[in-house]
Amino acid sequence: MPSPTYRLFRAAILNHMQITCTYDGRHRELCPHVLGHADGNEMALTFQFAGDSVSGLPPGGEWRCLSLAQVRDAQLRPGPWRTGFRHSTTQVCCVDVVDLDVELSGSTTGAPPGSGRIGNK
């Protein structure tokens, strides 16, 4: 049975909505792109476009892999869908078993598959 956080991230992908949350004690603003599991844990590959992170956030945003068990205070919000380049080759280190991928569930206005990178949390 998926957690409430997993279901919220799923709704965000299906409806192309943003999520605000706390992760590693820091405020994040992001758009989830891939949802699934790694080593039995619920995971999401997201594009973080605002907020803070331990490693800092470059201008324009960066890919982030989140363990959903560590996500707190997650909320959906309307806003423009944000994406970076090339999540299709970088999600392997984040999600072993993909349950939902925004590129397969309906096209966004983002970049084509195979054109970018991923950072750490």
Side-chain angles (χ1 to χ4, degrees):
M1 186 83 165
S3 70
T5 302
Y6 190 94
R7 291 191 303 269
L8 184 118
F9 273 65
R10 180 177 172 76
I13 290 173
L14 293 173
N15 296 297
H16 294 165
M17 295 182 74
Q18 298 178 3
I19 289 182
T20 61
C21 65
T22 301
Y23 190 82
D24 282 343
R26 298 172 187 270
H27 174 75
R28 313 281 180 127
E29 297 178 25
L30 49 87
C31 291
H33 286 252
V34 178
L35 189 61
H37 295 82
D39 296 324
N41 299 307
E42 295 177 336
M43 304 294 292
L45 177 65
T46 69
F47 187 76
Q48 183 180 345
F49 57 85
D52 194 16
S53 76
V54 173
S55 61
L57 187 65
E62 190 167 59
W63 291 106
R64 304 290 187 192
C65 183
L66 305 183
S67 168
L68 297 186
Q70 297 177 31
V71 172
R72 303 287 178 259
D73 305 318
Q75 296 183 6
L76 290 173
R77 76 171 186 195
W81 184 258
R82 309 282 181 99
T83 191
F85 294 101
R86 198 160 102 189
H87 88 256
S88 62
T89 60
T90 57
Q91 70 83 20
V92 174
C93 64
C94 181
V95 180
D96 293 336
V97 179
V98 174
D99 295 331
L100 184 61
D101 183 326
V102 74
E103 289 183 1
L104 301 176
S105 68
S107 180
T108 68
T109 58
S115 53
R117 63 193 173 110
I118 184 171
N120 295 332
K121 53 183 174 167

